[in-house]
Amino acid sequence: MSEESFAQMLDNEEWKEIRTGEVVDGRVIAVKPDRIVLNIGGKSDGIITRSEYTSAPDVDLTTVVSVGDEMKAKVLKSNDGEGQVALTYRKLVADNGNKKLEDAFNNQEPITGVAKNIKGGLEVIVDEARVFIPASLISDTFVKDLSVYNGKEVTFVITEYDPKNRKIIGDCKQLIVAAKKAAAEAVLSKIKEGDTIEGTVKNVTDFGAFIDLGGVDGLLHISEMSWGRTENPKKVYKIGDSVKCFIKEINGDKIALSVKYPDLNPWNNAAEKYAVGNVVKGTVARMTDFGAFVQLEDGIDALLHVSQISRDRIEKPSDALSIGQEIEAKVVDLNEADKKISLSIKALLNDNEAQEEVPATEE
């Protein structure tokens, strides 16, 4: 309402009747930290207390409203007992907020608001209208500490709208699930088996690492982490690591990854390097009752049977060897098809002894 309208109203003493529940226009004529005084064109001024301006606690109203501001308000009481009109701005905003939530519910449109952690979930105030998001509908994964959402914006859909019973339920989870599904479909449409791809380690378990490929996760199984033996994936990868790998298999939305590139397979030239009769060096990697497994290189282990460790009789490999010990032995068997190599220290010792016994040739 313009200043001229107010002046004319006063001059003509045309006081309009103020009725409870109606929305009135007013001009701020005074403001204190805890109340606002409005000229609403009636015989009495209107009063908006702090609690009827906002649901936020301890707001200094002088920081949000100034004298001369025009604003709408809803009449709570035409006479508050002191000859003034009790007004509410908060409920008027809430009415508009409820209308916004109702439209969002009917159209299943996402809506955004600032969250506050409360018992059992989150409270989101949308234009003074309250929405409750149960803990089970906040995310598609379990969130132990909901306080991480305090003061942060969340986007949700309204799944239940019953303002009369103050029951307006929001759901973030279905939006998150839908977004992840769309992202996964976008990635799956672009990749194929054999592609080299780079991702980020999302989680590490005893059986492998899950790699985020930018919208879909792939599994790098423990057996695909190295051509050699991987004892513990957590000692190889940690969350956040960048990993370059290739897609071994795609089965629906499941992606199997590998870093064991075929052209780097150590068995490719094993027939030449580890031919029967060759003398090789290796490191004792592990032992059993029947022998020791010797790592010749990453991805190739050979068996040194207990009977081939020494020319003397020994009961178990640990009587003569220790883990990490470097040894030299002779290849006595190579089964390339089964990827098995057998070694013998005893055979090497016999060869060396035989060479020493050969007399020098006289010229």
Side-chain angles (χ1 to χ4, degrees), residues 114-165:
V114 177
K116 176 184 177 183
N117 176 30
I118 61 173
K119 184 178 180 180
L122 300 178
E123 177 186 70
V124 182
I125 304 299
V126 179
D127 293 342
E128 295 295 340
R130 178 183 181 275
V131 178
F132 176 64
I133 304 177
S136 61
L137 299 179
I138 294 172
S139 176
D140 63 333
T141 57
F142 174 71
V143 181
K144 185 177 181 180
D145 183 10
L146 298 182
S147 65
V148 298
Y149 290 96
N150 275 336
K152 294 184 179 179
E153 285 191 342
V154 294
T155 302
F156 53 92
V157 291
I158 304 296
T159 56
E160 190 170 347
Y161 182 76
D162 185 5
K164 290 183 179 180
N165 293 311

Side-chain angles (χ1 to χ4, degrees), residues 285-303:
R286 59 192 188 280
M287 288 186 278
T288 67
D289 291 339
F290 59 84
F293 286 93
V294 179
Q295 184 180 40
L296 301 180
E297 61 178 284
D298 188 18
I300 296 185
D301 288 352
L303 174 63

Side-chain angles (χ1 to χ4, degrees), residues 44-119:
S44 303
D45 293 328
I47 303 296
I48 303 176
T49 63
R50 177 189 285 140
S51 62
E52 289 301 336
Y53 181 82
T54 178
S55 58
D58 303 324
V59 173
D60 183 349
L61 297 180
T62 62
T63 64
V64 292
V65 175
S66 302
V67 172
D69 287 351
E70 293 184 358
M71 59 186 298
K72 292 180 180 290
K74 189 174 184 178
V75 179
L76 288 176
K77 293 181 181 179
S78 56
N79 188 333
D80 64 0
E82 296 181 1
Q84 294 174 314
V85 180
L87 303 174
T88 178
Y89 176 75
R90 179 173 62 85
K91 288 184 174 63
L92 178 62
V93 174
D95 289 343
N96 294 331
N98 277 320
K99 182 62 170 63
K100 182 186 291 186
L101 296 177
E102 182 181 12
D103 290 343
F105 172 71
N106 290 332
N107 299 320
Q108 280 299 287
E109 294 176 345
I111 196 163
T112 300
V114 177
K116 176 184 177 183
N117 176 30
I118 61 173
K119 184 178 180 180

